[in-house]
């Protein structure tokens, strides 16, 4: 295994796991007021696009990492969409 392989795996692990602290905090506190809804909508679309790209070209590292990241970002987005103050606006 070469240097690029390790750099890619470290980068994939770090970017995927970077959402975990946010998910844990939101699940515990149910507070999403400081979270940007447009940012997470765009992020979910971007991650979904990378996942489709990985599926089309059978790139398993992309499939695995983006599947995990999609679950984490969708969790945040779902909590944001269920935010009580947003329900009062409708």
């Amino acid at each position: 295994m070469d240097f690029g392989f390790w750099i890619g795996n470290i980068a994939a692990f770090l970017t995927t796991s970077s959402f975990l602290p946010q998910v844990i905090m939101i699940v515990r506190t149910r507070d999403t007021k400081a979270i940007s809804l447009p940012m997470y909508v765009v992020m979910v679309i971007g991650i979904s696009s990378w996942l489709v790209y990985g599926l089309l070209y059978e790139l398993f590292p992309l499939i695995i990492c983006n599947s995990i990241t999609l679950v984490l970002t969708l969790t945040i987005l779902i909590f944001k969409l269920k935010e009580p103050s947003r329900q009062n606006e409708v």
Side-chain angles (χ1 to χ4, degrees):
M1 291 182 226
D2 64 10
F3 182 68
F5 172 84
W6 288 107
I7 291 295
N9 281 305
I10 290 168
F13 174 78
L14 292 173
T15 55
T16 298
S17 64
S18 69
F19 289 96
L20 197 54
Q22 190 71 62
V23 171
I24 292 169
M25 186 190 80
I26 289 172
V27 169
R28 284 183 181 164
T29 66
R30 308 277 195 230
D31 181 14
T32 59
K33 289 181 188 114
I35 300 296
S36 168
L37 178 61
M39 182 270 187
Y40 273 93
V41 168
V42 171
M43 181 62 81
V44 166
I45 293 168
I47 293 165
S48 299
S49 299
W50 276 115
L51 178 57
V52 169
Y53 178 84
L55 290 167
L56 289 172
Y57 291 96
E58 297 180 357
L59 302 169
F60 295 105
L62 281 179
I63 295 168
I64 293 166
C65 291
N66 285 295
S67 295
I68 295 167
T69 306
L70 185 59
V71 168
L72 295 173
T73 55
L74 272 174
T75 301
I76 294 168
L77 183 59
I78 289 167
F79 272 84
K80 180 64 177 178
L81 291 171
K82 290 184 175 183
E83 184 178 85
S85 64
R86 292 194 53 77
Q87 292 175 357
N88 293 336
E89 293 174 0
V90 177

